[in-house]
Amino acid sequence: MAAAPAHIFFFTSVRPLLLSASPAAGNARRGGRPQEIQKTQNGHLKSGREMMAAVDNLKRLCIDHYFEEEVESAVGAAMDLVHSDDLLEATLSFRLLRETGHDVSSDDVLRRFTNGAGEFSLALSNDIWALLSLHDMSHLNMGEEASLHKAKDFSSKHLASAIRYLNPGLGRYVRQSLDHPYHLSLTQYKARHHLSYLQGLPNRKSTAAMEELATAEFHLNKLLHQKEMEEVKRWWMGLGLAQEVPVAWDKVLKWYMWSMTIIQGSSFSRYRVELTKIISLIYIVDDLFDLVGTQEELSLFTKAVKIWSTAAADSLPSCMRSCYKALYTITNEIADAAEKEHGMNPWGELFDGFMVESKWLAAGLVPAAEDYLRTGVVTSGMPLALAHVLFLLGHDHAAYSDAAKLTADHIPPAIFCPGKNLRLGDDIGSAEDEAQEGLDGSYRDLFLIENPRCAANDAEEHMRRLIVREWEELNREYFRRRTFSSGFMQACLNAARMVSVMYSYDKEQRLLVLEDYARMLLL
């Protein structure tokens, strides 16, 4: 969490900068540094802490890409302050360093704030901003970091207790931070809430220019996203699958929001449109397997996909033939490249997974919970979607030759973790949403069968612990960039963040967070 707003960047003119941020400007918004920006106080910030707080605000408002030099300067300040005796300085520094790929030990940073047993001092609970920053830091855990587990418990407990005593604006901000931690949440969604909080402060001189830029960029992004979604709608209506396939419902908004989240940046507009088409077909194929096809028809469908030839679809029922032709036409180039270079057909892996699940259902078999989950990662569609993202972004996004062996038995952690969390999140959401029937199985139900002494709440808590472990593994991949480039790793991280939005509920209003996200950023 940012410190109390610092007196930082003012703009002599925001308008020229906004023009460079327009959708038509393409790469300009991610590239060169705008010349219209000047710093106050003779070009210098007062302190390293103030610089870090400023950069934290810029990152939270999703406009830090305009200020690469300031971010680099703040990293230098963070190296000086990461072992500060001030909790806010130390945690801000740690987060900035880890986010920029620096190797820093959380145990070393937090040791000075704990006693011999590793427990945090109660005196720290009086500083709300430091607690918020500690809470944000705790979600950067890469696994065996005991101090971050304790930091999460300590900060969560005392922040929740403090809400009733805070002014309403800050109380809402703290509640939102607890329900949607910064690192685990969609940056655009968090940016809107952060902007709303800043706009509610009585003294906004220090952040007015940032707010103006963030607001303008938000509206430009919204216009671009609306244009992209209209293009997808036209494609969908022209495709005619809604008339040919009985389960092909119009869910363009849901399909597009995945792409809007996974691939960000105005220069990737075309990629978002193409990825939405892929995602729509994943949903449709899933429904064909669950609700329409017989075992014989589904087996023929799978064989046709593996042959990957238009003639292979001739013997299929009409609805499957139409779906196959759409699938073949839209994904042919990417799928051919994947098979030629890596010996795999990404759609073939997905269909094999669907066939396994359909056989379980048809024969009344009860798979082991782990077998169900392993197959469920594939049938979540996440590996297929991210495989297409990998090839859309370019083959240089794989740092090693074995990075793209995306078979069911060899899914890299960066892709496997979002897929596993998607399957677990979907199953938890089905359990919480009475309108979802969960006809194709549930990890929770299978876990309860294998552990009859456990209650349903115990099973769901176990699933949430599994999700936390996958986040830790994803963090290791993301912060250390061991396998893929930063661009593709960002897409994987965004995909994992979208999972929590897709299947989370507002605890008070019982609304899908997805609805709030769509209303805020797109509609």
Side-chain angles (χ1 to χ4, degrees):
M1 174 57 215
H7 290 272
I8 55 157
F9 307 107
F10 278 14
F11 304 98
T12 57
S13 172
V14 175
R15 185 174 299 278
L17 176 59
L18 300 184
L19 291 176
S20 73
S22 69
N27 289 322
R29 67 191 302 179
R30 296 288 175 190
R33 170 176 171 71
Q35 298 301 313
E36 296 77 18
I37 300 172
Q38 292 183 347
K39 299 176 193 175
T40 57
Q41 301 164 4
N42 297 320
H44 298 283
L45 295 175
K46 287 184 177 179
S47 66
R49 171 173 174 164
E50 197 171 61
M51 181 184 295
M52 285 188 300
V55 169
D56 195 39
N57 267 324
L58 293 170
K59 289 169 72 71
R60 289 177 185 277
L61 292 171
C62 295
I63 54 175
D64 55 298
H65 52 274
Y66 293 119
F67 302 94
E68 294 178 359
E69 292 179 13
E70 283 74 18
V71 173
E72 288 185 14
S73 297
V75 169
M79 290 179 178
D80 294 332
L81 294 175
V82 70
H83 296 297
S84 168
D85 290 327
D86 181 279
L87 181 61
L88 180 57
E89 289 182 350
T91 51
L92 270 174
S93 299
F94 175 89
R95 288 193 293 109
L96 182 58
L97 288 172
R98 181 159 285 190
E99 286 170 356
T100 51
H102 290 77
D103 186 14
V104 56
S105 167
S106 59
D107 293 341
D108 289 347
V109 171
L110 296 178
R111 186 175 294 119
R112 68 192 68 244
F113 304 106
T114 58
N115 58 26
E119 302 300 327
F120 286 90
S121 168
L122 284 178
L124 299 172
S125 63
N126 297 322
D127 189 337
I128 293 298
W129 295 107
L131 278 181
L132 281 167
S133 185
L134 181 66
H135 186 255
D136 288 336
M137 172 184 174
S138 72
H139 291 91
L140 306 188
N141 201 330
M142 294 193 290
E144 302 300 323
E145 296 181 280
S147 60
L148 290 184
H149 287 292
K150 291 186 177 182
K152 184 189 294 184
D153 293 341
F154 179 82
S155 59
S156 298
K157 173 185 176 181
H158 290 287
L159 285 170
S161 298
I163 289 177
R164 72 190 74 174
Y165 305 110
L166 302 175
N167 69 66
L170 182 56
R172 284 192 298 271
Y173 193 95
V174 171
R175 180 75 267 164
Q176 218 272 339
S177 297
L178 288 172
D179 291 343
H180 305 285
Y182 175 63
H183 178 65
L184 309 186
S185 303
L186 300 176
T187 54
Q188 294 171 317
Y189 182 69
K190 294 294 291 183
R192 290 297 298 150
H193 284 283
H194 191 65
L195 179 61
S196 296
Y197 172 73
L198 292 179
Q199 290 173 333
L201 294 176
N203 182 4
R204 296 167 51 201
K205 288 184 178 180
S206 61
T207 59
M210 281 195 293
E211 292 171 27
E212 185 175 354
L213 175 59
T215 300
E217 173 137 314
F218 163 71
H219 286 298
L220 289 170
N221 281 331
K222 177 182 283 190
L223 290 173
L224 178 60
H225 293 152
Q226 289 174 344
K227 179 181 177 182
E228 292 166 359
M229 196 167 72
E230 285 301 316
E231 183 176 348
V232 173
K233 283 183 178 179
R234 287 193 297 271
W235 164 81
W236 173 248
M237 296 305 295
L239 193 63
L241 272 186
Q243 292 74 42
E244 294 283 343
V245 181
V247 294
W249 297 295
D250 182 354
K251 298 180 181 178
V252 170
L253 175 61
K254 184 176 183 179
W255 302 332
Y256 174 73
M257 289 185 69
W258 278 106
S259 301
M260 182 182 76
T261 299
I262 293 173
I263 305 178
Q264 297 181 6
S266 61
S267 60
F268 296 128
S269 179
R270 171 51 49 191
Y271 295 168
R272 281 191 292 273
V273 171
E274 295 304 316
L275 182 61
T276 304
K277 297 175 183 179
I278 300 296
I279 291 171
S280 70
L281 293 173
I282 293 173
Y283 274 100
I284 291 168
V285 170
D286 190 6
D287 288 337
L288 282 171
F289 270 83
D290 285 348
L291 304 173
V292 177
T294 65
Q295 282 294 294
E296 181 179 357
E297 291 169 342
L298 295 173
S299 180
L300 291 173
F301 198 11
T302 301
K303 289 179 181 177
V305 167
K306 289 191 168 185
I307 294 172
W308 205 245
S309 166
T310 53
D314 292 344
S315 60
L316 295 177
S318 176
C319 63
M320 291 184 182
R321 188 162 59 248
S322 298
C323 181
Y324 179 87
K325 289 180 179 178
L327 186 155
Y328 183 88
T329 302
I330 294 162
T331 68
N332 190 40
E333 182 177 340
I334 295 177
D336 277 356
E339 188 164 18
K340 179 183 295 184
E341 298 192 21
H342 305 288
M344 50 81 73
N345 178 345
W347 285 100
E349 297 290 337
L350 179 69
F351 274 68
D352 278 343
F354 282 144
M355 278 303 301
V356 170
E357 291 180 344
S358 68
K359 289 176 180 177
W360 286 340
L361 187 62
L365 298 177
V366 180
E370 286 306 310
D371 290 340
Y372 164 84
L373 191 53
R374 191 179 307 108
T375 302
V377 171
V378 176
T379 58
S380 72
M382 185 68 77
L384 174 63
L386 290 176
H388 284 85
V389 172
L390 181 65
F391 287 98
L392 284 170
L393 292 178
H395 306 297
D396 59 317
H397 283 260
Y400 301 102
S401 59
D402 65 345
K405 291 180 181 177
L406 305 179
T407 64
D409 296 325
H410 187 90
I411 301 176
I415 296 173
F416 184 88
C417 295
K420 186 172 181 178
N421 282 357
L422 174 54
R423 176 54 60 204
L424 290 168
D426 191 6
D427 286 355
I428 292 175
S430 296
E432 293 184 354
D433 188 346
E434 296 177 359
Q436 296 189 43
E437 298 180 7
L439 297 177
D440 54 352
S442 163
Y443 180 84
R444 185 191 71 154
D445 296 341
L446 296 173
F447 180 84
L448 289 173
I449 291 173
E450 295 177 2
N451 300 272
R453 295 185 179 181
C454 289
N457 288 342
D458 296 327
E460 291 177 21
E461 184 58 33
H462 169 71
M463 294 166 72
R464 290 188 173 90
R465 286 196 296 270
L466 292 179
I467 290 173
V468 169
R469 291 177 196 168
E470 294 306 312
W471 264 107
E472 291 172 352
E473 176 67 22
L474 181 59
N475 284 344
R476 285 194 289 275
E477 291 291 318
Y478 179 73
F479 293 126
R480 292 173 177 166
R481 288 152 171 79
R482 298 184 299 189
T483 308
F484 296 102
S485 73
S486 59
F488 182 72
M489 281 308 310
Q490 187 64 56
C492 294
L493 180 64
N494 290 340
R497 288 168 168 169
M498 185 59 180
V499 169
S500 61
V501 169
M502 188 64 71
Y503 299 107
S504 293
Y505 288 88
D506 182 285
K507 294 179 180 178
E508 296 180 359
Q509 301 181 33
R510 193 60 186 167
L511 294 173
L512 275 171
V513 175
L514 179 67
E515 297 171 3
D516 186 37
Y517 178 51
R519 184 171 54 250
M520 183 179 292
L521 298 179
L522 190 59
L523 302 180

